[in-house]
Each structure stands twice: as C-alpha cells, then as structure tokens.
Amino acid sequence: MTTAVYPGSFDPVTFGHLDVIQRAAGAFDRLVVAVLVNPRKSVTADAHDRATEIRTVVAESAPLLAGRIEVVTFDGLTVDLAIRLEAGFIVRGLRAVSDFESEMQMAHTNRKLRPEVDTVFFMTALEHAYLSSSLVREIATFGGDVRGMVPPAVARRLDRDTIPR
Ligand code: PNS
C-alpha cells in the first residue's frame, strides 16, 4: 500500500487544495492530509477546526475517494510525520514558477533529512492556479466575496468569523 502525506497550513482550504487532494487520492492508496499546528502564525481557525472542515468538504466533494483520505493535525517536521505514518511520499501542489523555488528547497531539505521520503508535485488545475489562502484571508478580512475560491462551508465560516476592517 502506498501512502502519501499532503502537509500544509490549509488556512483556509481552497479549491486549489481540494483539486490536489482529489488527484493525489487517485494516485495513492492512502492520502493523509496533514494540517500544521503553527502557533507562530496568526490563523483564521485552529488546526483541529481546519482539519474538521477539510474532512467535511472532502466527504461532500469527493465521496468516492473519502475512504482513502485521512485528515490529521501535526506539529514538528513533516518528514517525521511521514515516517510515523509509513508514508513514502510527500505531496505538494505547484501553481506557478513562483512556487518552484521554495518548494524545491523544501523537497531537497526533506530528502536530506529523510532520503526514504520523496516529494511528488501535482500541477494545480489551471482554473485554480491563481488561488492562495493568504489572498483568500485578505479578501475575507475586507468583506470580499470568496465563494468562487473556497468550498461553501469555508466561505460561510470566513463570512461569519472574520471581523471586517
Ligand atoms: O501550506 P504551506 O504553509 O505552504 O505549508 C508549509 C508546510 C506545512 C508544508 C511546511 O512549512 C512544513 O513542512 N512545516 C513543518 C516543519 C518542517 O518540516 N519544516 C522543514 C521543511 S523543509
């Protein structure tokens, strides 16, 4: 059984992330989406709530794949999580050339730390390639409409919880 781990902040999960989740779940027997608990970043929801939200949107948008997808929270190194989960692969999405440099650095560093864990990249679907969680957060902060960028439940949560400036 091939297991892959897809780590990220997912703050919030976007249609771009969902696209990568669905395609990676089709390529591996088991995909573990791992939500980073990062107390250094100010986040729109705590990691546990973001993980619950991802579970819900995955069940709604990809019911046939949901059985192969687990969602966990984690702290510490991604490679250590991968070893614990017996995952041979880390999945990341690439949107544009601008992602490449930092993703390449992470992939090489992770491989240096744990050569047995390899990174595979999925090119984010073209229609979602412009999306980023940080832009979604900014738009929501200023009361903009994020419904075309994130699943409905996430849009509702951002609308409800974000205090407009
Ligand atoms: O969605 P993001 O914020 O781009 O995800 C970044 C993430 C979570 C993949 C990265 O920060 C990470 O792996 N953090 C865990 C700590 C770690 O392993 N750091 C070394 C990376 S080379």
Short mmCIF file of all heavy atoms in Angstrom, two decimals, residues 53-108:
data_model
loop_
_atom_site.label_atom_id
_atom_site.label_comp_id
_atom_site.label_asym_id
_atom_site.label_seq_id
_atom_site.Cartn_x
_atom_site.Cartn_y
_atom_site.Cartn_z
N GLU A 53 -12.95 20.83 9.10
CA GLU A 53 -13.51 21.46 7.91
C GLU A 53 -13.09 20.70 6.63
O GLU A 53 -13.90 20.45 5.75
CB GLU A 53 -13.01 22.90 7.87
CG GLU A 53 -13.73 23.83 6.96
CD GLU A 53 -13.34 25.28 7.29
OE1 GLU A 53 -12.18 25.66 7.07
OE2 GLU A 53 -14.20 26.01 7.77
N ILE A 54 -11.81 20.31 6.58
CA ILE A 54 -11.33 19.58 5.40
C ILE A 54 -12.05 18.23 5.29
O ILE A 54 -12.47 17.83 4.21
CB ILE A 54 -9.79 19.39 5.45
CG1 ILE A 54 -9.10 20.75 5.35
CG2 ILE A 54 -9.32 18.47 4.32
CD1 ILE A 54 -7.60 20.72 5.64
N ARG A 55 -12.22 17.54 6.44
CA ARG A 55 -12.95 16.25 6.43
C ARG A 55 -14.34 16.44 5.82
O ARG A 55 -14.78 15.65 4.99
CB ARG A 55 -13.07 15.71 7.85
CG ARG A 55 -12.02 14.70 8.18
CD ARG A 55 -12.13 14.19 9.62
NE ARG A 55 -10.79 14.23 10.19
CZ ARG A 55 -10.41 14.96 11.22
NH1 ARG A 55 -11.27 15.71 11.87
NH2 ARG A 55 -9.16 14.93 11.63
N THR A 56 -15.01 17.51 6.24
CA THR A 56 -16.37 17.76 5.76
C THR A 56 -16.38 18.04 4.26
O THR A 56 -17.18 17.45 3.52
CB THR A 56 -16.97 18.99 6.51
OG1 THR A 56 -16.87 18.74 7.89
CG2 THR A 56 -18.40 19.25 6.12
N VAL A 57 -15.49 18.91 3.79
CA VAL A 57 -15.54 19.26 2.36
C VAL A 57 -15.09 18.08 1.48
O VAL A 57 -15.59 17.90 0.38
CB VAL A 57 -14.76 20.57 2.03
CG1 VAL A 57 -15.35 21.74 2.75
CG2 VAL A 57 -13.29 20.44 2.28
N VAL A 58 -14.18 17.27 2.00
CA VAL A 58 -13.75 16.08 1.23
C VAL A 58 -14.93 15.10 1.11
O VAL A 58 -15.21 14.58 0.03
CB VAL A 58 -12.52 15.40 1.87
CG1 VAL A 58 -12.32 13.98 1.35
CG2 VAL A 58 -11.26 16.23 1.61
N ALA A 59 -15.64 14.89 2.22
CA ALA A 59 -16.79 13.96 2.20
C ALA A 59 -17.85 14.46 1.22
O ALA A 59 -18.50 13.66 0.54
CB ALA A 59 -17.37 13.82 3.59
N GLU A 60 -18.01 15.78 1.14
CA GLU A 60 -19.02 16.34 0.24
C GLU A 60 -18.58 16.33 -1.22
O GLU A 60 -19.35 16.01 -2.11
CB GLU A 60 -19.32 17.80 0.64
CG GLU A 60 -20.27 17.89 1.82
CD GLU A 60 -20.35 19.31 2.39
OE1 GLU A 60 -19.81 20.24 1.75
OE2 GLU A 60 -20.93 19.46 3.46
N SER A 61 -17.32 16.70 -1.45
CA SER A 61 -16.89 16.91 -2.84
C SER A 61 -16.29 15.66 -3.48
O SER A 61 -16.25 15.56 -4.70
CB SER A 61 -15.90 18.07 -2.92
OG SER A 61 -14.74 17.75 -2.19
N ALA A 62 -15.80 14.73 -2.67
CA ALA A 62 -15.18 13.53 -3.25
C ALA A 62 -15.58 12.29 -2.46
O ALA A 62 -14.73 11.60 -1.90
CB ALA A 62 -13.66 13.70 -3.26
N PRO A 63 -16.90 12.00 -2.40
CA PRO A 63 -17.35 10.90 -1.53
C PRO A 63 -16.73 9.55 -1.91
O PRO A 63 -16.49 8.72 -1.03
CB PRO A 63 -18.88 10.89 -1.73
CG PRO A 63 -19.16 11.71 -2.93
CD PRO A 63 -18.02 12.65 -3.10
N LEU A 64 -16.43 9.36 -3.19
CA LEU A 64 -15.88 8.06 -3.61
C LEU A 64 -14.44 7.88 -3.17
O LEU A 64 -13.95 6.77 -3.02
CB LEU A 64 -15.99 7.90 -5.13
CG LEU A 64 -17.42 7.86 -5.68
CD1 LEU A 64 -17.41 7.70 -7.20
CD2 LEU A 64 -18.22 6.72 -5.04
N LEU A 65 -13.75 9.01 -2.97
CA LEU A 65 -12.34 8.94 -2.57
C LEU A 65 -12.15 9.09 -1.06
O LEU A 65 -11.07 8.83 -0.53
CB LEU A 65 -11.54 10.05 -3.28
CG LEU A 65 -11.36 9.91 -4.78
CD1 LEU A 65 -10.77 11.19 -5.36
CD2 LEU A 65 -10.45 8.73 -5.09
N ALA A 66 -13.24 9.50 -0.39
CA ALA A 66 -13.11 9.87 1.02
C ALA A 66 -12.54 8.74 1.88
O ALA A 66 -11.82 8.99 2.84
CB ALA A 66 -14.46 10.34 1.56
N GLY A 67 -12.83 7.49 1.50
CA GLY A 67 -12.35 6.35 2.27
C GLY A 67 -10.84 6.21 2.25
O GLY A 67 -10.26 5.55 3.11
N ARG A 68 -10.19 6.82 1.28
CA ARG A 68 -8.72 6.72 1.20
C ARG A 68 -8.04 7.94 1.78
O ARG A 68 -6.82 8.04 1.77
CB ARG A 68 -8.29 6.60 -0.27
CG ARG A 68 -8.94 5.43 -0.95
CD ARG A 68 -9.05 5.72 -2.41
NE ARG A 68 -7.75 5.52 -3.04
CZ ARG A 68 -7.62 4.98 -4.23
NH1 ARG A 68 -8.69 4.60 -4.90
NH2 ARG A 68 -6.44 4.84 -4.78
N ILE A 69 -8.84 8.91 2.24
CA ILE A 69 -8.27 10.18 2.69
C ILE A 69 -8.45 10.32 4.20
O ILE A 69 -9.57 10.22 4.71
CB ILE A 69 -8.94 11.36 1.96
CG1 ILE A 69 -8.76 11.23 0.44
CG2 ILE A 69 -8.38 12.70 2.46
CD1 ILE A 69 -9.57 12.21 -0.38
N GLU A 70 -7.34 10.54 4.89
CA GLU A 70 -7.41 10.84 6.33
C GLU A 70 -6.95 12.28 6.52
O GLU A 70 -6.15 12.77 5.73
CB GLU A 70 -6.45 9.94 7.12
CG GLU A 70 -6.83 8.47 7.11
CD GLU A 70 -5.66 7.60 7.55
OE1 GLU A 70 -4.86 8.02 8.41
OE2 GLU A 70 -5.54 6.50 7.00
N VAL A 71 -7.46 12.92 7.55
CA VAL A 71 -7.02 14.28 7.85
C VAL A 71 -6.54 14.31 9.30
O VAL A 71 -7.26 13.89 10.20
CB VAL A 71 -8.16 15.31 7.64
CG1 VAL A 71 -7.63 16.73 7.79
CG2 VAL A 71 -8.81 15.14 6.26
N VAL A 72 -5.31 14.77 9.49
CA VAL A 72 -4.74 14.82 10.84
C VAL A 72 -4.17 16.22 11.08
O VAL A 72 -3.99 16.99 10.13
CB VAL A 72 -3.61 13.78 11.04
CG1 VAL A 72 -4.13 12.36 10.81
CG2 VAL A 72 -2.42 14.07 10.13
N THR A 73 -3.88 16.54 12.32
CA THR A 73 -3.10 17.74 12.60
C THR A 73 -1.71 17.28 13.03
O THR A 73 -1.53 16.15 13.49
CB THR A 73 -3.73 18.57 13.74
OG1 THR A 73 -3.80 17.76 14.90
CG2 THR A 73 -5.13 19.06 13.37
N PHE A 74 -0.72 18.16 12.83
CA PHE A 74 0.63 17.77 13.25
C PHE A 74 1.45 18.98 13.64
O PHE A 74 1.19 20.09 13.21
CB PHE A 74 1.35 16.95 12.16
CG PHE A 74 1.97 17.79 11.05
CD1 PHE A 74 3.35 17.95 10.96
CD2 PHE A 74 1.18 18.41 10.09
CE1 PHE A 74 3.92 18.71 9.95
CE2 PHE A 74 1.74 19.17 9.07
CZ PHE A 74 3.12 19.33 9.00
N ASP A 75 2.44 18.70 14.45
CA ASP A 75 3.41 19.69 14.88
C ASP A 75 4.76 19.04 14.65
O ASP A 75 4.88 17.82 14.72
CB ASP A 75 3.19 19.94 16.39
CG ASP A 75 3.59 21.33 16.75
OD1 ASP A 75 4.21 22.02 15.92
OD2 ASP A 75 3.29 21.75 17.88
N GLY A 76 5.79 19.80 14.35
CA GLY A 76 7.11 19.21 14.14
C GLY A 76 7.40 19.06 12.66
O GLY A 76 6.77 19.71 11.82
N LEU A 77 8.34 18.18 12.37
CA LEU A 77 8.81 18.05 10.98
C LEU A 77 7.87 17.17 10.16
O LEU A 77 7.43 16.10 10.62
CB LEU A 77 10.21 17.44 10.95
CG LEU A 77 11.36 18.29 11.52
CD1 LEU A 77 12.67 17.51 11.48
CD2 LEU A 77 11.50 19.61 10.75
N THR A 78 7.64 17.60 8.93
CA THR A 78 6.82 16.80 8.01
C THR A 78 7.42 15.42 7.77
O THR A 78 6.71 14.42 7.74
CB THR A 78 6.66 17.56 6.67
OG1 THR A 78 5.88 18.73 6.91
CG2 THR A 78 5.98 16.72 5.63
N VAL A 79 8.75 15.35 7.64
CA VAL A 79 9.36 14.04 7.37
C VAL A 79 9.17 13.08 8.56
O VAL A 79 8.99 11.87 8.35
CB VAL A 79 10.86 14.12 7.00
CG1 VAL A 79 11.06 14.61 5.59
CG2 VAL A 79 11.64 14.94 8.01
N ASP A 80 9.18 13.62 9.77
CA ASP A 80 8.97 12.75 10.95
C ASP A 80 7.54 12.21 10.94
O ASP A 80 7.30 11.05 11.27
CB ASP A 80 9.23 13.52 12.25
CG ASP A 80 10.71 13.81 12.45
OD1 ASP A 80 11.54 13.15 11.79
OD2 ASP A 80 11.04 14.69 13.27
N LEU A 81 6.61 13.08 10.54
CA LEU A 81 5.21 12.62 10.42
C LEU A 81 5.12 11.53 9.36
O LEU A 81 4.46 10.50 9.56
CB LEU A 81 4.31 13.81 10.05
CG LEU A 81 2.85 13.45 9.80
CD1 LEU A 81 2.14 13.13 11.12
CD2 LEU A 81 2.12 14.57 9.06
N ALA A 82 5.78 11.76 8.24
CA ALA A 82 5.74 10.78 7.14
C ALA A 82 6.25 9.42 7.63
O ALA A 82 5.64 8.38 7.35
CB ALA A 82 6.56 11.28 5.95
N ILE A 83 7.34 9.44 8.38
CA ILE A 83 7.90 8.17 8.89
C ILE A 83 6.89 7.50 9.84
O ILE A 83 6.63 6.30 9.74
CB ILE A 83 9.25 8.42 9.63
CG1 ILE A 83 10.30 9.00 8.66
CG2 ILE A 83 9.75 7.15 10.32
CD1 ILE A 83 10.77 8.08 7.57
N ARG A 84 6.31 8.30 10.73
CA ARG A 84 5.32 7.74 11.67
C ARG A 84 4.14 7.11 10.95
O ARG A 84 3.60 6.10 11.35
CB ARG A 84 4.79 8.84 12.60
CG ARG A 84 5.64 9.13 13.81
CD ARG A 84 4.84 9.78 14.95
NE ARG A 84 4.17 11.00 14.59
CZ ARG A 84 4.74 12.19 14.51
NH1 ARG A 84 6.04 12.30 14.74
NH2 ARG A 84 4.05 13.27 14.18
N LEU A 85 3.74 7.76 9.83
CA LEU A 85 2.57 7.28 9.08
C LEU A 85 2.94 6.19 8.07
O LEU A 85 2.09 5.69 7.34
CB LEU A 85 1.92 8.44 8.32
CG LEU A 85 1.30 9.55 9.15
CD1 LEU A 85 0.94 10.74 8.26
CD2 LEU A 85 0.04 9.04 9.85
N GLU A 86 4.24 5.87 8.00
CA GLU A 86 4.76 4.93 7.00
C GLU A 86 4.42 5.41 5.59
O GLU A 86 4.02 4.64 4.71
CB GLU A 86 4.25 3.51 7.26
CG GLU A 86 4.72 3.00 8.62
CD GLU A 86 4.33 1.56 8.89
OE1 GLU A 86 3.63 0.96 8.05
OE2 GLU A 86 4.73 1.05 9.94
N ALA A 87 4.56 6.72 5.40
CA ALA A 87 4.31 7.33 4.08
C ALA A 87 5.64 7.50 3.36
O ALA A 87 6.58 8.06 3.91
CB ALA A 87 3.63 8.69 4.26
N GLY A 88 5.70 7.03 2.14
CA GLY A 88 6.93 7.15 1.36
C GLY A 88 6.99 8.45 0.57
O GLY A 88 8.02 8.78 -0.04
N PHE A 89 5.88 9.18 0.57
CA PHE A 89 5.80 10.37 -0.29
C PHE A 89 5.18 11.55 0.43
O PHE A 89 4.26 11.39 1.24
CB PHE A 89 4.96 10.06 -1.55
CG PHE A 89 5.52 8.95 -2.36
CD1 PHE A 89 5.09 7.64 -2.16
CD2 PHE A 89 6.50 9.19 -3.32
CE1 PHE A 89 5.62 6.59 -2.89
CE2 PHE A 89 7.04 8.14 -4.06
CZ PHE A 89 6.59 6.84 -3.85
N ILE A 90 5.70 12.72 0.08
CA ILE A 90 5.09 13.99 0.48
C ILE A 90 4.49 14.57 -0.79
O ILE A 90 5.14 14.60 -1.83
CB ILE A 90 6.15 14.96 1.06
CG1 ILE A 90 6.70 14.42 2.38
CG2 ILE A 90 5.56 16.36 1.25
CD1 ILE A 90 7.94 15.18 2.88
N VAL A 91 3.25 15.01 -0.71
CA VAL A 91 2.58 15.62 -1.86
C VAL A 91 2.55 17.14 -1.66
O VAL A 91 2.27 17.62 -0.57
CB VAL A 91 1.12 15.10 -1.97
CG1 VAL A 91 0.26 16.00 -2.87
CG2 VAL A 91 1.11 13.67 -2.49
N ARG A 92 2.84 17.86 -2.73
CA ARG A 92 2.68 19.31 -2.71
C ARG A 92 2.10 19.75 -4.05
O ARG A 92 2.30 19.10 -5.08
CB ARG A 92 4.03 20.00 -2.49
CG ARG A 92 4.63 19.77 -1.12
CD ARG A 92 3.93 20.53 -0.01
NE ARG A 92 4.22 21.96 -0.06
CZ ARG A 92 3.56 22.86 0.65
NH1 ARG A 92 2.56 22.51 1.45
NH2 ARG A 92 3.88 24.13 0.57
N GLY A 93 1.40 20.86 -4.04
CA GLY A 93 0.86 21.42 -5.27
C GLY A 93 1.78 22.52 -5.78
O GLY A 93 2.37 23.25 -4.99
N LEU A 94 1.90 22.61 -7.08
CA LEU A 94 2.69 23.69 -7.70
C LEU A 94 1.74 24.51 -8.56
O LEU A 94 1.09 23.97 -9.46
CB LEU A 94 3.77 23.12 -8.61
CG LEU A 94 5.12 22.77 -8.02
CD1 LEU A 94 6.03 22.28 -9.14
CD2 LEU A 94 5.77 23.93 -7.29
N ARG A 95 1.64 25.80 -8.27
CA ARG A 95 0.74 26.64 -9.06
C ARG A 95 1.46 27.32 -10.19
O ARG A 95 0.98 27.39 -11.31
CB ARG A 95 0.09 27.70 -8.15
CG ARG A 95 -0.89 27.13 -7.15
CD ARG A 95 -1.22 28.12 -6.09
NE ARG A 95 0.00 28.52 -5.37
CZ ARG A 95 0.01 29.29 -4.30
NH1 ARG A 95 -1.11 29.79 -3.83
NH2 ARG A 95 1.14 29.58 -3.68
N ALA A 96 2.62 27.84 -9.91
CA ALA A 96 3.33 28.65 -10.92
C ALA A 96 4.81 28.58 -10.62
O ALA A 96 5.24 28.02 -9.60
CB ALA A 96 2.84 30.10 -10.84
N VAL A 97 5.58 29.18 -11.52
CA VAL A 97 7.04 29.17 -11.34
C VAL A 97 7.42 29.79 -9.99
O VAL A 97 8.38 29.36 -9.35
CB VAL A 97 7.71 29.95 -12.50
CG1 VAL A 97 9.21 30.01 -12.33
CG2 VAL A 97 7.35 29.31 -13.83
N SER A 98 6.61 30.75 -9.56
CA SER A 98 6.92 31.42 -8.29
C SER A 98 6.91 30.45 -7.11
O SER A 98 7.58 30.69 -6.11
CB SER A 98 5.94 32.57 -8.05
OG SER A 98 4.63 32.09 -8.23
N ASP A 99 6.16 29.37 -7.19
CA ASP A 99 6.17 28.37 -6.11
C ASP A 99 7.43 27.51 -6.14
O ASP A 99 7.80 26.90 -5.14
CB ASP A 99 4.99 27.39 -6.26
CG ASP A 99 3.66 27.99 -5.81
OD1 ASP A 99 3.68 28.99 -5.08
OD2 ASP A 99 2.61 27.44 -6.20
N PHE A 100 8.05 27.45 -7.31
CA PHE A 100 9.04 26.41 -7.55
C PHE A 100 10.24 26.50 -6.61
O PHE A 100 10.68 25.49 -6.05
CB PHE A 100 9.50 26.44 -9.01
CG PHE A 100 10.45 25.33 -9.34
CD1 PHE A 100 9.99 24.05 -9.56
CD2 PHE A 100 11.82 25.56 -9.39
CE1 PHE A 100 10.86 23.01 -9.84
CE2 PHE A 100 12.70 24.54 -9.67
CZ PHE A 100 12.22 23.26 -9.89
N GLU A 101 10.74 27.73 -6.44
CA GLU A 101 11.99 27.87 -5.69
C GLU A 101 11.85 27.37 -4.25
O GLU A 101 12.67 26.57 -3.77
CB GLU A 101 12.43 29.33 -5.70
CG GLU A 101 13.92 29.45 -5.53
CD GLU A 101 14.41 30.86 -5.83
OE1 GLU A 101 13.86 31.51 -6.73
OE2 GLU A 101 15.33 31.28 -5.14
N SER A 102 10.80 27.84 -3.57
CA SER A 102 10.64 27.42 -2.17
C SER A 102 10.28 25.94 -2.08
O SER A 102 10.72 25.23 -1.16
CB SER A 102 9.60 28.28 -1.47
OG SER A 102 8.38 28.19 -2.16
N GLU A 103 9.49 25.46 -3.04
CA GLU A 103 9.11 24.03 -3.00
C GLU A 103 10.32 23.14 -3.27
O GLU A 103 10.47 22.07 -2.65
CB GLU A 103 8.01 23.75 -4.03
CG GLU A 103 6.68 24.40 -3.67
CD GLU A 103 6.07 23.87 -2.37
OE1 GLU A 103 6.39 22.74 -1.96
OE2 GLU A 103 5.28 24.61 -1.75
N MET A 104 11.19 23.59 -4.19
CA MET A 104 12.40 22.81 -4.49
C MET A 104 13.29 22.75 -3.24
O MET A 104 13.82 21.69 -2.89
CB MET A 104 13.14 23.44 -5.66
CG MET A 104 14.32 22.64 -6.12
SD MET A 104 15.22 23.47 -7.43
CE MET A 104 15.89 24.86 -6.57
N GLN A 105 13.41 23.90 -2.57
CA GLN A 105 14.24 23.95 -1.37
C GLN A 105 13.70 23.00 -0.30
O GLN A 105 14.44 22.24 0.32
CB GLN A 105 14.25 25.39 -0.85
CG GLN A 105 15.27 25.62 0.23
CD GLN A 105 15.25 27.07 0.70
OE1 GLN A 105 14.25 27.77 0.57
NE2 GLN A 105 16.35 27.51 1.25
N MET A 106 12.36 23.02 -0.13
CA MET A 106 11.76 22.13 0.88
C MET A 106 11.95 20.66 0.50
O MET A 106 12.28 19.83 1.35
CB MET A 106 10.27 22.43 1.02
CG MET A 106 9.94 23.35 2.16
SD MET A 106 8.23 23.21 2.70
CE MET A 106 7.34 23.89 1.35
N ALA A 107 11.73 20.36 -0.78
CA ALA A 107 11.84 18.96 -1.21
C ALA A 107 13.27 18.45 -1.01
O ALA A 107 13.47 17.33 -0.49
CB ALA A 107 11.43 18.84 -2.68
N HIS A 108 14.26 19.26 -1.38
CA HIS A 108 15.66 18.83 -1.19
C HIS A 108 15.99 18.70 0.29
O HIS A 108 16.68 17.76 0.70
CB HIS A 108 16.61 19.84 -1.85
CG HIS A 108 16.67 19.71 -3.34
ND1 HIS A 108 16.81 18.51 -4.00
CD2 HIS A 108 16.61 20.66 -4.32
CE1 HIS A 108 16.83 18.70 -5.31
NE2 HIS A 108 16.70 20.00 -5.53
#
